[in-house]
């Protein structure tokens, strides 16, 4: 897969692509990337890429012409390229969306700055407007890296498939607590079940802890899982034990 990032500050995403697991994926040619400096397509001596918005208002807006030329230079209009604009006004980014994007051949990501970009660029080029959360940042580059990091790790060969099986948001549940050495830290012991060697008991413990954590932090995910029938009968029984009441609504789609 290839990531093409259009930015005014290529040094920000470059550090990410040259470090850690991403650097190894690039070295193995599982991932390719191209960092395009939008300023290279400005036509004045100051390399101006922003101006005040029509209609007035605070702040500056990224100009359509240099950004459009940058997009044309990477052939963003071709069908095998999916163009993403990261913006607070986009649709919420989810694990499901990351999985969908991981199946693409190339993602072209526009990093906004200032008050954003000219709407005509969105109308002409953009396939997806994505928000990484209900907050505003000054850096579109940071938001773009959130998307890139969530997507590239799902591509075959980047990390082991086993590491993805029980992560947060798998089956609409959060991940269970994890422990490593030492067995006792500041008087706190690792749960004995994890050192018992009984894989069935470990599996059940982890499922229960996933349910407990999801109930505590994201009860909306439990409700969603119940609506779509993704919880097993075993999970429902554990929820009954955790909450003290049974889930009585009949759900014919619930898996056995």
């Amino acid at each position: 897969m290839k990531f093409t990032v259009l930015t005014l500050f290529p040094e920000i995403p470059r550090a990410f692509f040259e470090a850690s697991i991403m650097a190894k994926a690039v070295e193995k040619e599982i991932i390719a990337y191209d960092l395009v400096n939008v300023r290279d397509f400005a036509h004045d001596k100051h390399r101006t890429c922003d101006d005040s918005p029509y209609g007035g208002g605070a702040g500056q807006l990224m100009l359509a012409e240099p950004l459009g030329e940058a997009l044309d230079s990477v052939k963003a209009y071709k069908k095998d390229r999916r163009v993403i604009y990261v913006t607070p006004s986009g649709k919420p980014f989810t694990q499901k969306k990351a999985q969908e994007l991981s199946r693409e051949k190339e993602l072209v990501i526009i990093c906004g700055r200032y008050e954003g970009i000219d709407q005509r660029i969105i109308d002409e080029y953009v396939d997806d407007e994505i928000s990484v959360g209900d907050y505003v940042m000054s850096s579109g580059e940071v938001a773009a890296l959130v998307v890139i990091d969530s997507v590239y790790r799902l591509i075959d060969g980047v990390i082991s498939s086993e590491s993805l099986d029980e992560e947060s948001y798998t089956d609409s549940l959060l991940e269970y607590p994890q422990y490593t050495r030492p067995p006792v830290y500041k008087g706190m012991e690792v749960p004995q079940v994890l050192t018992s060697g009984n894989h069935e008991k470990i599996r059940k413990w982890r499922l229960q802890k996933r349910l407990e954590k999801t109930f505590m932090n994201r009860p909306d995910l439990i409700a969603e899982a119940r609506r779509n029938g993704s919880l097993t009968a075993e999970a429902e029984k554990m929820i009954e034990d955790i909450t003290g009441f049974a889930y009585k609504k009949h759900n014919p789609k619930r898996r056995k």
Side-chain angles (χ1 to χ4, degrees):
M1 176 181 230
K2 182 177 181 180
F3 294 97
T4 298
V5 183
L6 279 67
T7 171
L8 296 174
F9 301 93
E11 62 272 16
I12 297 176
R14 180 175 292 113
F16 178 80
F17 282 103
E18 294 179 353
S20 190
I21 298 173
M22 174 59 91
K24 294 177 181 178
V26 172
E27 183 180 355
K28 294 177 181 177
E29 298 184 346
I30 301 171
I31 301 294
Y33 71 96
D34 186 16
L35 305 178
V36 180
N37 191 336
V38 179
R39 292 192 188 280
D40 292 341
F41 298 87
H43 296 292
D44 66 322
K45 65 179 181 179
H46 301 294
R47 303 172 78 195
T48 303
C49 287
D50 64 287
D51 204 345
S52 55
Y54 283 119
Q60 299 286 96
L61 202 67
M62 287 183 68
L63 292 166
E65 290 178 330
L67 186 50
E69 289 186 26
L71 286 160
D72 288 341
S73 75
V74 299
K75 297 180 173 58
Y77 47 80
K78 293 187 70 174
K79 291 183 179 180
D80 62 350
R81 291 156 174 77
R82 190 159 176 174
V83 181
I84 295 169
Y85 171 45
V86 283
T87 167
S89 60
K91 293 181 179 179
F93 187 57
T94 63
Q95 186 68 15
K96 182 178 179 181
K97 188 67 173 181
Q99 291 167 343
E100 175 190 328
L101 295 177
S102 71
R103 295 188 285 270
E104 296 290 335
K105 181 178 179 180
E106 179 175 350
L107 298 181
V108 178
I109 304 178
I110 302 171
C111 301
R113 280 274 170 168
Y114 318 117
E115 294 300 311
I117 67 177
D118 192 297
Q119 180 64 38
R120 290 168 291 187
I121 292 294
I122 299 173
D123 294 341
E124 179 69 16
Y125 294 95
V126 172
D127 298 306
D128 298 275
E129 293 181 75
I130 290 177
S131 169
V132 298
D134 295 341
Y135 48 84
V136 178
M137 298 186 296
S138 60
S139 173
E141 289 75 18
V142 173
L145 291 179
V146 170
V147 174
I148 293 168
D149 189 69
S150 298
V151 170
Y152 94 98
R153 61 192 305 279
L154 299 175
I155 297 169
D156 289 344
V158 174
I159 61 177
S160 66
S161 58
E162 292 83 359
S163 297
L164 304 175
D165 288 343
E166 294 183 323
E167 290 188 315
S168 292
Y169 306 107
T170 303
D171 294 333
S172 299
L173 300 178
L174 302 182
E175 192 171 16
Y176 47 79
Q178 302 218 45
Y179 302 83
T180 187
R181 294 178 292 178
V184 180
Y185 172 70
K186 293 187 176 181
M188 296 177 287
E189 296 184 6
V190 173
Q192 290 184 356
V193 65
L194 298 179
T195 58
S196 68
N198 189 319
H199 296 293
E200 178 60 13
K201 285 185 177 180
I202 292 172
R203 183 194 67 79
K204 289 184 176 181
W205 181 89
R206 286 176 168 172
L207 175 57
Q208 179 162 339
K209 292 302 179 182
R210 295 185 74 198
L211 291 165
E212 289 175 357
K213 190 168 187 177
T214 308
F215 240 111
M216 182 185 301
N217 294 343
R218 291 292 304 274
D220 58 301
L221 294 178
I222 296 288
E224 178 185 350
R226 284 174 157 174
R227 283 195 300 270
N228 63 33
S230 63
L231 291 180
T232 62
E234 180 185 34
E236 288 288 6
K237 180 61 171 64
M238 287 184 179
I239 290 174
E240 179 182 345
D241 295 337
I242 292 167
T243 62
F245 61 90
Y247 174 53
K248 298 181 181 303
K249 183 178 179 182
H250 176 63
N251 189 346
K253 293 183 180 180
R254 190 172 69 194
R255 298 185 307 193
K256 303 297 183 184

